[in-house]
């Protein structure tokens, strides 16, 4: 991969990345609730609708990064994010597409554990359970992605870095509330969605490392770094706002 040659810039990029790790989104109240308070049916239904709508934008965002990398002749970013996109879309097998696994896992769990009807990812766009902050999350991340190339890279880095702790926390919530599904059936039909991301291979950790490498490759000036920082910080801010609003809503249910 093409590396930044300026050691001072490498140090500043590293400092930014390390600083983002201290963002309060990683210790948000909703994650605590997911870890500590087993779901009821209404709370799970609420979580599913908002999680679906939030996560539907993932593949679209990655595809946009690939298109922009090609347009900017950024071969290294195109290679790395094309690999990420390929994994997200099932490595050429539609039934293994992560969005398909997400929908199937959540709906099977909701039916068996809580007697809930199925909800498609597309239907979640119009769900009455969606909160404004989830819609705002989608709108703001799209605005940040499409602002300019370096801001886009900051958004992508933030999202990829946030994915691993988010999915591990959600997997814990599913485990904590399981009562009716036998363990093997749970692993094979529900936990499979999380394990393709955060299993032994550490897929999301690799995706985050690849996104950081793309930032490092493209930061050559302080202006570049400032745009990356703005994209990353505002993405984590709007994600925190969504999780905080979900925690408040769950407390009222």
């Amino acid at each position: 991969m093409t590396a930044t040659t300026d050691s001072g810039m490498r140090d500043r990029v590293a400092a930014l990345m390390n600083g983002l790790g201290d963002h309060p989104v990683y210790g948000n109240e909703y994650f605590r609730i997911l870890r500590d308070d087993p779901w009821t049916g209404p709370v799970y239904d609420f979580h599913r609708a908002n999680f679906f709508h939030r996560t539907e934008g993932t593949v679209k965002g990655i595809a946009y990064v690939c298109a922009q990398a090609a347009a900017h002749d950024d071969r290294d970013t195109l290679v790395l994010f094309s690999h990420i996109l390929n994994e997200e879309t099932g490595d050429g097998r539609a039934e293994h597409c992560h969005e398909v696994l997400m929908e199937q896992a959540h709906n099977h769990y909701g039916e068996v554990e809580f007697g809930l009807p199925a909800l498609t990812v597309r239907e979640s766009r119009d769900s009455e359970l969606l909160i404004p902050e989830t819609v705002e999350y989608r709108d703001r991340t799209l605005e940040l992605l499409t602002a300019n190339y370096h801001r886009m890279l900051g958004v992508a880095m933030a999202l990829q870095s946030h994915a691993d702790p988010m999915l591990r926390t959600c997997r814990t919530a599913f485990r904590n509330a399981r009562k009716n599904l036998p363990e093997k059936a749970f692993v094979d039909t529900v936990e499979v969605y999380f394990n393709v991301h955060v299993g032994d291979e550490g897929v999301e950790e690799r995706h985050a490392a690849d996104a950081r490498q793309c930032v490092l490759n493209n930061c050559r000036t302080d202006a570049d770094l400032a745009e990356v920082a703005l994209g990353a910080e505002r993405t984590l801010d709007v994600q925190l706002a969504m999780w905080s609003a979900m925690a408040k809503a769950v407390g009222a249910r």
Side-chain angles (χ1 to χ4, degrees), residues 34-38 109 171-179:
L34 288 176
R35 288 191 298 267
D36 298 343
D37 300 339
Y109 188 88
R171 183 174 63 179
T172 296
F174 276 80
R175 289 172 174 173
N176 288 346
R178 178 179 68 88
K179 294 181 180 178

Side-chain angles (χ1 to χ4, degrees), residues 187-199:
V187 171
D188 291 345
T189 63
V190 176
E191 197 172 87
V192 60
Y193 164 66
F194 300 99
N195 291 341
V196 296
H197 295 88
V198 295

